[in-house]
Amino acid sequence: MRFLISLCVSLLLLINGEIINGQTTGIFYPFGSAAGDTEYSNYGDESYVFVGLSTPYTFFGRTYNQLYVHFNGLLTFNQPEPASGPNYNPTRGAEDFIAPLWSDVDDYYSGVFSYQEYTNGSVLTRATQDINQYFPQMRFNASSVFVVTWEFGDRTSPAIKFQVVLISGGGFSFFLINYGDCAVLYEQVQAGYDTIGSTDSFVIPDSINGNYQNLKSTSNVNVQGRWAFLVNGWRLRTWLSLLLPHKL
């Protein structure tokens, strides 16, 4: 009887967008050790980890077999970024990067990030459904998903939590940013993306106007706390104009 009760509770949690073993999902994709992620704890100021990709990812015309995950809320492709905090984009710099929450957060909070690459299974199904919801004319089918999640503070109730999901398939590349809570940050903050020479760039407005703690209430796809971008070439830039930033 206890087993049946536990099973029913677990099924209800899954239906409501939550994963057992302490992983709160909602808009978040599965993450953490219970999901089989590789995890790293913060081991030094401005530290980062090199990650090889089994499936290449194309970011505005440049294809990468690797990326660098930084503890200060930054993901770069062609090289690591030595700066602790943001230079407001467009930087016209030498990096292709995604900045879900770029700040010197690792100086003030202990934290971890975890990541995993998927090439089959339910995560690909979820990514396919999400992209087709936001880009309904594309009839997209995901073949690779890379999920990286940052958590700072108490992991049972993180003070800061955010996630990037790289999604690719059929010659298209997308990424999602998912936001949870964000505690007070004491340095400059920036969220968005930039490219080498800043040929393509975007800043999420609330990340730089002092309202970064409200990111979990913003969206460009009518899903609270989520931002979605198509990033694989100039011919498709017009799609980005369909995703105008707004608050829910």
Side-chain angles (χ1 to χ4, degrees):
M1 180 62 71
R2 290 181 179 177
F3 171 77
L4 290 176
I5 293 173
S6 177
L7 178 61
C8 290
V9 170
S10 297
L11 289 172
L12 287 171
L13 289 173
L14 288 169
I15 290 169
N16 286 296
E18 297 182 358
I19 298 296
I20 58 175
N21 295 324
Q23 296 180 75
T24 302
T25 59
I27 61 170
F28 280 71
Y29 279 53
F31 65 91
S33 58
D37 282 8
T38 299
E39 290 192 351
Y40 285 91
S41 297
N42 188 2
Y43 59 84
D45 196 25
E46 281 71 72
S47 54
Y48 61 85
V49 172
F50 170 89
V51 180
L53 299 175
S54 63
T55 301
Y57 183 79
T58 301
F59 188 75
F60 289 104
R62 285 175 286 272
T63 300
Y64 294 103
N65 295 298
Q66 79 289 317
L67 50 81
Y68 303 85
V69 182
H70 298 249
F71 277 98
N72 57 2
L74 185 68
L75 189 157
T76 61
F77 291 98
N78 57 310
Q79 62 185 29
E81 167 56 58
S84 60
N87 300 310
Y88 289 121
N89 93 40
T91 63
R92 297 178 176 82
E95 291 90 20
D96 282 336
F97 69 76
I98 297 170
L101 195 69
W102 187 11
S103 184
D104 206 4
V105 61
D106 54 345
D107 279 2
Y108 300 95
Y109 297 92
S110 61
V112 301
F113 68 71
S114 64
Y115 66 84
Q116 186 170 175
E117 185 176 7
Y118 300 85
T119 55
N120 56 65
S122 61
V123 170
L124 265 68
T125 301
R126 178 175 177 178
T128 296
Q129 293 171 345
D130 284 342
I131 295 304
N132 284 316
Q133 177 183 345
Y134 310 142
F135 302 86
Q137 291 82 9
M138 300 196 70
R139 298 179 181 178
F140 175 73
N141 189 40
S143 60
S144 177
V145 176
F146 178 85
V147 182
V148 56
T149 309
W150 289 260
E151 296 178 277
F152 294 90
D154 183 355
R155 296 193 68 187
T156 60
S157 182
I160 302 171
K161 184 172 72 173
F162 52 91
Q163 182 182 75
V164 170
V165 183
L166 306 182
I167 303 170
S168 58
F172 296 100
S173 299
F174 305 83
F175 74 86
L176 310 177
I177 303 178
N178 297 320
Y179 289 105
D181 289 333
C182 183
V184 174
L185 297 170
Y186 301 95
E187 305 286 347
Q188 291 178 327
V189 180
Q190 176 180 303
Y193 64 82
D194 201 1
T195 56
I196 297 171
S198 296
T199 54
D200 290 273
S201 63
F202 179 78
V203 177
I204 296 176
D206 276 349
S207 70
I208 59 171
N209 64 9
N211 292 326
Y212 60 86
Q213 290 182 280
N214 191 49
L215 287 170
K216 67 178 182 179
S217 299
T218 66
S219 178
N220 65 342
V221 289
N222 284 315
V223 178
Q224 188 170 351
R226 172 171 289 175
W227 290 73
F229 301 95
L230 171 66
V231 295
N232 71 322
W234 66 269
R235 287 189 177 93
L236 299 171
R237 287 179 190 168
T238 53
W239 282 92
L240 295 177
S241 65
L242 301 177
L243 299 175
L244 299 177
H246 62 276
K247 295 183 181 180
L248 293 175

